[in-house]
Amino acid sequence: MTSSTVFSALAPYGWDEAWADQFAPYDSEGLLPGRVVRVDRGQCDVVTADGVVRADTAFVTPHDPRRVVCTGDWVAVEPGGHPRYVRTCLPRRTAFVRSTSSKRSEGQILAANVDHAIVAVSLATELDLGRVERFLALAWESGAQPLVVLTKADLVPDPVALSYLVQDVETAAPGVPVLTVSALHGEGLDVLVALVSGGTSVLLGQSGAGKSTLANALVGEDVMDVQATRDMDGKGRHTTTTRNLLALPGGGVLIDTPGLRGVGLWDAGSGVGQVFSEIEELAQRCRFHDCAHDSEPGCAVLAAVDSGELPVRRLESYRKLTRENQWIVAKTDARLRAELRRDWKRKGAEGKAAMEFKRGRWS
Ligand code: GDP
Ligand code: ZN
């Protein structure tokens, strides 16, 4: 395959001279360059100059979860074979990592090689600058350039009021472009289309912020319809595949994954920790580092409740918020859900064992 064929096929997905240079050694091995449009249990869909191919990631799935192939990665895939393997993953320019609250796991990569992080903020509700800052921190952390899009601008018809809102956000977001957009009337969309045309973007923001509406506007039709492309699998059957990475008609690429959508909520976990800082401090003195402050022996939090130092209402409220937060994320993330279920089971078993121990059954 000539490099110009590769260029014309992959440029819409973000292929450039620098990627081509990095790929050169694999090219001479006869491997195909491609970008991961979706990952799913040890396999991934890769868009190549030959179309979308399904490939096995066993070669490139080391123990470090940060190095697992993810949507947005540029990879070298074998030209054929059953299964066909991803042989290597090119070094990432940027990466969105979901930090996990569990100290055992290193964090999970949600998207790679993202240039612009679009933080959608609805003008339909009162501005929460603290929340905007949290999303911006997340964006900067990834290495991508953040961009704030104030959505539903049609709901603030007064231009003076609108400019004050923009100024408020600008002061909370130094170095970050702030746009206003109305998907309803199409206002401001041309500016957004132009800004995202130069790279790969992700949409962040609270549920209801208008992310799906923006995605649909950028893609030019219903994303869900676009995503449900019919592909042939290896056995000649038609299967419906979902892409989490789409080339935009106006140029640029959009990555939209369920994991990324939940990221703001997950991140709220550290916010919960700040609101209940005295409990987090007490928890440092619990015997077990992953103490759930339920029935564990040596729990400093329960001891503080017993001694009257910590109101029980406060502990209950903390538990409720942490659980809600985990549940919201777990809904969007099957792997995390399985992990949580294992955790709950283990904690349940440990708690029971501890109680039996206390009752003296094992002595
Ligand atoms: P998401 O949860 O962030 O994906 O948000 P959605 O895109 O689903 O939008 C949430 C709600 O806001 C929906 O009811 C949309 O119809 C509405 N919405 C989105 N964009 C606009 C807009 O530009 N103007 C108005 N008035 N409503 C909008
Ligand atoms: Zn405890």
Side-chain angles (χ1 to χ4, degrees), residues 259-303:
L260 262 175
R261 291 200 161 201
V263 85
L265 297 160
W266 179 264
D267 205 42
S270 55
V272 172
Q274 276 161 15
V275 176
F276 297 93
S277 55
E278 87 275 33
I279 298 183
E280 303 263 299
E281 261 166 45
L282 284 165
Q284 310 256 305
R285 303 204 296 269
C286 291
R287 186 177 306 161
F288 301 114
H289 76 82
D290 58 350
C291 184
H293 326 306
D294 244 354
S295 55
E296 290 88 344
C299 173
V301 175
L302 292 177

Coordinates of all heavy atoms in Angstrom, one line a residue, residues 259-303:
G259 N -17.7 5.8 29.0 CA -16.8 6.0 30.1 C -16.5 7.5 30.3 O -16.5 8.0 31.4
L260 N -16.2 8.1 29.2 CA -15.9 9.6 29.3 C -17.1 10.4 29.7 O -16.9 11.3 30.4 CB -15.5 10.1 27.9 CG -14.1 10.2 27.5 CD1 -13.8 10.6 26.1 CD2 -13.4 11.2 28.5
R261 N -18.3 9.9 29.4 CA -19.5 10.6 29.8 C -19.7 10.6 31.3 O -20.2 11.5 31.9 CB -20.7 10.0 29.1 CG -20.7 10.3 27.7 CD -22.0 10.2 27.1 NE -22.0 10.9 25.8 CZ -23.1 11.3 25.2 NH1 -24.3 11.1 25.8 NH2 -23.0 12.0 24.1
G262 N -19.2 9.5 31.9 CA -19.3 9.4 33.3 C -18.2 10.0 34.1 O -18.3 10.1 35.3
V263 N -17.2 10.5 33.4 CA -16.0 10.9 34.1 C -16.2 12.1 35.1 O -15.6 12.1 36.1 CB -14.9 11.2 33.0 CG1 -14.9 12.6 32.5 CG2 -13.5 10.9 33.6
G264 N -17.0 13.0 34.7 CA -17.2 14.1 35.6 C -17.8 13.7 36.9 O -17.5 14.2 38.0
L265 N -18.8 12.7 36.8 CA -19.4 12.2 38.0 C -18.4 11.5 38.9 O -18.4 11.6 40.1 CB -20.6 11.3 37.6 CG -21.6 12.0 36.8 CD1 -22.5 11.0 36.0 CD2 -22.5 12.8 37.7
W266 N -17.6 10.7 38.2 CA -16.6 10.0 38.9 C -15.7 10.9 39.7 O -15.4 10.8 40.9 CB -15.8 9.1 38.0 CG -14.7 8.4 38.8 CD1 -13.5 8.7 39.0 CD2 -14.9 7.2 39.5 NE1 -12.8 7.8 39.8 CE2 -13.7 6.9 40.1 CE3 -16.0 6.3 39.7 CZ2 -13.6 5.8 40.9 CZ3 -15.9 5.2 40.5 CH2 -14.7 5.0 41.1
D267 N -15.3 11.9 39.0 CA -14.4 12.9 39.5 C -15.0 13.6 40.8 O -14.3 14.1 41.6 CB -14.0 13.9 38.5 CG -12.7 14.5 38.7 OD1 -11.8 13.8 39.1 OD2 -12.6 15.8 38.6
A268 N -16.3 13.6 40.8 CA -17.0 14.2 41.9 C -16.7 13.5 43.2 O -16.8 14.0 44.3 CB -18.5 14.2 41.7
G269 N -16.1 12.3 43.1 CA -15.7 11.5 44.2 C -14.7 12.3 45.1 O -14.9 12.3 46.3
S270 N -13.8 13.0 44.5 CA -12.8 13.7 45.3 C -13.6 14.9 45.9 O -13.2 15.4 47.0 CB -11.7 14.2 44.4 OG -12.1 14.9 43.3
G271 N -14.6 15.4 45.2 CA -15.4 16.5 45.8 C -16.1 16.0 47.1 O -16.1 16.8 48.1
V272 N -16.6 14.8 47.0 CA -17.3 14.3 48.2 C -16.3 14.2 49.3 O -16.6 14.5 50.5 CB -17.9 12.9 47.9 CG1 -18.4 12.2 49.1 CG2 -19.0 13.0 46.8
G273 N -15.1 13.8 49.0 CA -14.1 13.7 50.0 C -13.8 15.0 50.6 O -13.5 15.1 51.8
Q274 N -13.8 16.1 49.9 CA -13.5 17.4 50.4 C -14.7 17.9 51.3 O -14.4 18.5 52.3 CB -13.4 18.4 49.3 CG -11.9 18.4 48.8 CD -11.8 19.0 47.4 OE1 -12.7 19.7 46.9 NE2 -10.7 18.7 46.7
V275 N -15.9 17.6 50.9 CA -17.0 18.0 51.8 C -17.0 17.3 53.1 O -17.4 17.8 54.1 CB -18.4 17.7 51.0 CG1 -19.5 18.0 51.9 CG2 -18.4 18.5 49.7
F276 N -16.5 16.1 53.1 CA -16.5 15.3 54.4 C -15.0 15.0 54.8 O -14.6 13.9 55.1 CB -17.2 13.9 54.2 CG -18.7 14.1 53.8 CD1 -19.1 14.2 52.5 CD2 -19.6 14.3 54.9 CE1 -20.4 14.3 52.3 CE2 -20.9 14.4 54.6 CZ -21.4 14.5 53.3
S277 N -14.2 16.1 54.8 CA -12.8 15.9 55.0 C -12.5 15.3 56.4 O -11.5 14.6 56.6 CB -12.1 17.3 54.9 OG -12.7 18.2 55.7
E278 N -13.4 15.7 57.4 CA -13.1 15.1 58.8 C -13.2 13.6 58.8 O -12.4 12.9 59.5 CB -13.9 15.8 59.8 CG -15.3 15.2 60.1 CD -16.4 15.7 59.2 OE1 -16.1 16.0 58.0 OE2 -17.5 15.8 59.6
I279 N -14.1 13.0 57.9 CA -14.3 11.6 57.9 C -13.1 11.0 57.1 O -12.5 9.9 57.6 CB -15.6 11.2 57.2 CG1 -16.8 11.7 58.1 CG2 -15.7 9.7 57.0 CD1 -18.1 11.4 57.5
E280 N -12.6 11.6 56.1 CA -11.5 11.1 55.4 C -10.2 11.1 56.3 O -9.4 10.2 56.2 CB -11.2 12.0 54.1 CG -12.4 12.1 53.2 CD -12.4 11.1 52.0 OE1 -11.4 11.2 51.2 OE2 -13.3 10.2 51.9
E281 N -10.2 12.1 57.1 CA -9.0 12.2 58.0 C -9.1 11.1 59.1 O -8.1 10.4 59.3 CB -9.0 13.5 58.8 CG -8.0 14.5 58.2 CD -8.3 15.9 58.7 OE1 -8.5 16.1 59.9 OE2 -8.3 16.9 57.9
L282 N -10.3 10.9 59.6 CA -10.4 9.8 60.6 C -10.1 8.4 59.9 O -9.4 7.6 60.5 CB -11.9 9.7 61.1 CG -12.3 10.8 62.1 CD1 -13.8 10.8 62.3 CD2 -11.6 10.5 63.5
A283 N -10.5 8.3 58.6 CA -10.3 7.0 57.9 C -8.9 6.6 57.8 O -8.5 5.5 57.6 CB -11.0 7.1 56.6
Q284 N -8.0 7.6 57.8 CA -6.6 7.3 57.7 C -6.1 6.5 58.9 O -5.1 5.8 58.8 CB -5.7 8.6 57.8 CG -6.2 9.7 56.8 CD -5.3 9.8 55.7 OE1 -4.1 10.0 55.8 NE2 -5.8 9.7 54.5
R285 N -6.9 6.5 60.0 CA -6.4 5.8 61.2 C -7.2 4.4 61.3 O -7.0 3.7 62.3 CB -6.7 6.6 62.5 CG -5.9 8.0 62.4 CD -5.7 8.5 63.8 NE -6.9 8.8 64.5 CZ -7.5 10.0 64.5 NH1 -7.0 11.0 63.8 NH2 -8.6 10.2 65.2
C286 N -8.0 4.1 60.3 CA -8.7 2.8 60.3 C -7.6 1.7 60.1 O -6.6 1.9 59.5 CB -9.7 2.7 59.2 SG -11.1 3.7 59.5
R287 N -7.9 0.5 60.7 CA -6.9 -0.5 60.6 C -6.7 -1.0 59.1 O -5.6 -1.2 58.7 CB -7.3 -1.7 61.4 CG -6.3 -2.9 61.5 CD -6.7 -4.0 62.4 NE -7.0 -3.5 63.7 CZ -7.7 -4.3 64.6 NH1 -8.2 -5.4 64.3 NH2 -8.0 -3.8 65.8
F288 N -7.8 -1.1 58.4 CA -7.7 -1.5 57.0 C -7.8 -0.3 56.1 O -8.7 0.5 56.3 CB -8.9 -2.5 56.7 CG -8.8 -3.7 57.5 CD1 -9.9 -4.0 58.4 CD2 -7.8 -4.6 57.5 CE1 -9.8 -5.1 59.2 CE2 -7.7 -5.7 58.3 CZ -8.8 -6.0 59.2
H289 N -6.9 -0.3 55.1 CA -6.8 0.9 54.3 C -8.1 1.1 53.4 O -8.5 2.1 53.0 CB -5.5 1.0 53.4 CG -5.6 0.1 52.3 ND1 -6.2 0.4 51.1 CD2 -5.1 -1.2 52.1 CE1 -6.0 -0.6 50.2 NE2 -5.4 -1.6 50.8
D290 N -8.8 -0.1 53.1 CA -10.0 0.0 52.3 C -11.2 -0.2 53.2 O -12.3 -0.7 52.8 CB -10.0 -1.0 51.2 CG -9.8 -2.4 51.7 OD1 -9.5 -2.6 52.9 OD2 -10.0 -3.4 50.9
C291 N -11.1 0.3 54.5 CA -12.2 0.1 55.4 C -13.5 0.8 54.9 O -13.4 1.9 54.4 CB -11.8 0.8 56.8 SG -13.0 0.6 58.1
A292 N -14.6 0.1 55.0 CA -15.9 0.7 54.6 C -16.6 1.4 55.7 O -17.7 1.9 55.6 CB -16.7 -0.3 53.9
H293 N -16.0 1.4 56.9 CA -16.6 2.0 58.1 C -18.0 1.4 58.4 O -18.9 2.2 58.6 CB -16.6 3.5 58.0 CG -15.5 4.1 57.3 ND1 -14.2 3.8 57.6 CD2 -15.4 4.9 56.2 CE1 -13.3 4.4 56.8 NE2 -14.1 5.1 55.9
D294 N -18.1 0.1 58.2 CA -19.4 -0.5 58.3 C -19.4 -1.4 59.6 O -20.2 -1.2 60.5 CB -19.6 -1.5 57.1 CG -20.7 -1.0 56.3 OD1 -21.4 -0.1 56.7 OD2 -20.9 -1.6 55.2
S295 N -18.5 -2.4 59.6 CA -18.5 -3.3 60.7 C -17.0 -3.8 61.0 O -16.8 -4.7 61.7 CB -19.4 -4.5 60.4 OG -19.0 -5.1 59.2
E296 N -16.1 -3.1 60.2 CA -14.7 -3.6 60.3 C -14.1 -3.4 61.7 O -14.4 -2.4 62.4 CB -13.9 -2.8 59.3 CG -14.1 -3.2 57.9 CD -15.2 -2.4 57.2 OE1 -16.0 -1.7 58.0 OE2 -15.4 -2.4 56.0
P297 N -13.3 -4.3 62.2 CA -12.6 -4.1 63.4 C -11.5 -3.0 63.3 O -11.0 -2.8 62.2 CB -11.9 -5.4 63.7 CG -11.8 -6.1 62.4 CD -12.9 -5.6 61.5
G298 N -11.3 -2.2 64.3 CA -10.3 -1.2 64.3 C -10.7 0.0 63.4 O -9.8 0.7 62.9
C299 N -12.0 0.2 63.3 CA -12.4 1.3 62.4 C -12.5 2.6 63.3 O -13.2 2.8 64.2 CB -13.8 1.1 61.9 SG -14.5 2.5 61.0
A300 N -11.7 3.6 62.9 CA -11.5 4.9 63.6 C -12.8 5.7 63.4 O -13.1 6.5 64.3 CB -10.3 5.6 63.1
V301 N -13.5 5.6 62.3 CA -14.7 6.4 62.0 C -15.8 5.9 62.9 O -16.5 6.7 63.6 CB -15.1 6.2 60.5 CG1 -16.4 6.9 60.3 CG2 -14.0 6.8 59.6
L302 N -16.0 4.6 63.0 CA -17.0 4.1 63.9 C -16.7 4.4 65.4 O -17.6 4.7 66.2 CB -17.2 2.6 63.8 CG -17.8 2.1 62.4 CD1 -17.8 0.6 62.3 CD2 -19.2 2.7 62.2
A303 N -15.4 4.4 65.7 CA -15.0 4.7 67.1 C -15.4 6.2 67.4 O -15.8 6.5 68.5 CB -13.5 4.5 67.2

